[in-house]
Amino acid sequence: MKLTVKNSHETEALAKVIGTVAQAGDIIILSGDLGAGKTTMTKGIALGLGIDKMIKSPTYTIIREYQGGRLPLYHMDVYRVEGQTEDLGLEEYFEGEGLSVVEWGQLLGEDGPEQYLAVDLEKNPAVEEERMISLDGIGTAGSALLERIEEQWKENGK
């Protein structure tokens, strides 16, 4: 699924759909340059889960857990731990009862999950607020999540 969003509000609207259809054990890997909208995407996912807490980038804390929605949200940022993820216990989150969202998850390499939804956010150099977003289901679970997103997106008239 590929689409272009005009601003952060549209990014958040797509992300809210993702949070609405996510299930326990789903994993989302967010990639994109600095400032592309990874944390904005996570904020929208949290809203879709019913979590209304302030979502902050976990760049220095690595993992933030948010409760209070229909599923726990495990928000991770592995930018600063490239190649040193074995001791973080990420598998426990990936196999847990919540939704895992990993910023810079492509840096996990072999330590990354086998099944996930890959979300790539790319800035449009010609239009500051515009982003090209591509979603790709990797493995059975990732493909199933993508199908639920596409179905809900169509139902919402997008």
Side-chain angles (χ1 to χ4, degrees):
M1 176 176 177
K2 293 183 185 300
L3 50 112
T4 299
V5 296
K6 292 182 176 63
N7 53 47
S8 61
H9 299 294
E10 289 186 8
T11 299
E12 199 171 273
L14 171 62
K16 197 170 179 182
V17 167
I18 295 170
T20 301
V21 300
Q23 297 177 355
D26 281 341
I27 302 167
I28 300 170
I29 303 292
L30 301 176
S31 60
D33 292 335
L34 286 171
K38 295 180 292 296
T39 301
T40 298
M41 178 71 68
T42 305
K43 290 175 184 179
I45 291 169
L47 290 172
L49 290 171
I51 297 170
D52 59 2
K53 295 182 175 80
M54 171 89 147
I55 304 297
K56 296 186 260 182
S57 179
T59 301
Y60 296 101
T61 56
I62 315 298
I63 301 170
R64 290 186 187 271
E65 293 184 39
Y66 298 94
Q67 305 289 332
R70 63 178 187 81
L71 295 173
L73 172 63
Y74 310 130
H75 184 200
M76 306 166 203
D77 185 328
V78 296
Y79 182 75
R80 301 197 182 285
V81 295
E82 183 177 1
Q84 303 170 18
T85 58
E86 305 85 30
D87 299 332
L88 295 177
L90 298 180
E91 316 77 40
E92 293 176 32
Y93 290 99
F94 294 158
E95 297 167 5
E97 294 300 313
L99 170 64
S100 296
V101 177
V102 188
E103 294 189 28
W104 301 98
Q106 74 278 10
L107 299 177
L108 291 173
E110 292 180 10
D111 294 329
E114 292 181 14
Q115 301 188 47
Y116 58 92
L117 178 72
V119 179
D120 184 56
L121 298 104
E122 185 179 337
K123 296 178 188 178
N124 180 346
V127 183
E128 186 177 335
E129 287 287 310
E130 197 170 272
R131 302 289 186 265
M132 286 75 70
I133 301 176
S134 62
L135 291 81
D136 189 20
I138 308 300
T140 307
S143 296
L145 176 54
L146 179 58
E147 285 179 25
R148 293 191 306 273
I149 293 164
E150 289 174 332
E151 186 176 302
Q152 186 66 45
W153 190 249
K154 287 176 188 168
E155 282 182 26
N156 289 354
K158 305 287 185 191

